[in-house]
Amino acid sequence: MSSTNALPPVIAIDGPSASGKGTVAQRVAGLLGYHYLDSGALYRLVAVAAKRAGVAWDDEPALAPIAASLEARFDGDEIYLNDALVTAAVRSEEAGAGASKVAVWPAVRAGLLARQKAFRLAPGLVADGRDMATVVFPDANLKIFLTADVVTRAERRHKQLIAKGMSANITILLQDLQVRDERDSQRSEAPLRKTNDAILLDTTHLTIEAAVEFVMARYKVVTKVP
Ligand code: C5P
């Protein structure tokens, strides 16, 4: 047995914004009793923390220490920054756009790396993001690249925001998603891409339940559970 096999198992789920990977990852983690890492929330937290500290999202040297020393805590669905509740700010469209800007900087990514790896605890981890399979957990036991057509993603995000009682414009949401897709896949550091060993899961015409079932079935195959 190699030392890699001694580490708790990881399911890496990468994909573009609003693809549904967070919901799928969380449900799979719940079914398996595994820990869950929402890596996007860490980049969002850096964007929120920077804004509060008056640091611009393109100021890499000033962003680096913010990423490396983020005082963040996750408690169920709630997120705290320096003990202040910041869930709504972190989940906002503004923080999503800010996250995608701070995430282009190598020093920010490096500052968050150890923190992400620390989520790998027994009995296992389901991690979602953009570079889970490529950078953070390249030895993941199962790699899923979860995507959906951009118009479908914009419609899903629109529905979510309306359900939360927030105002939303589908044309603007679509444009924002396209800008973020472009930035996340074109950046030089850890761009969003499917690895050869990742399984493509296109959820454009799938329900969340079907996507969860797909991941669970694949995981049973790799773990050889009958
Ligand atoms: O997944 P979510 O939409 O919350 O991520 C927000 C942004 O954070 C993404 O658009 C991406 O730029 C960045 N991100 C990243 N690497 C990750 C997770 C998120 O670059 N592993």
Side-chain angles (χ1 to χ4, degrees), residues 38-111:
D38 169 6
S39 62
L42 296 175
Y43 289 92
R44 287 167 178 265
L45 274 161
V46 173
V48 170
K51 192 171 176 213
R52 292 186 176 195
V55 168
W57 291 334
D58 60 359
D59 186 348
E60 185 180 17
L63 289 168
I66 293 178
S69 62
L70 210 54
E71 280 294 331
R73 185 161 57 83
F74 295 87
D75 185 1
D77 284 342
E78 303 294 7
I79 306 173
Y80 295 84
L81 179 65
N82 300 322
D83 283 329
L85 186 66
V86 291
T87 317
V90 165
R91 295 292 168 214
S92 69
E93 290 304 299
E94 188 199 9
S100 141
K101 288 184 181 164
V102 301
V104 302
W105 302 115
V108 169
R109 306 199 71 84

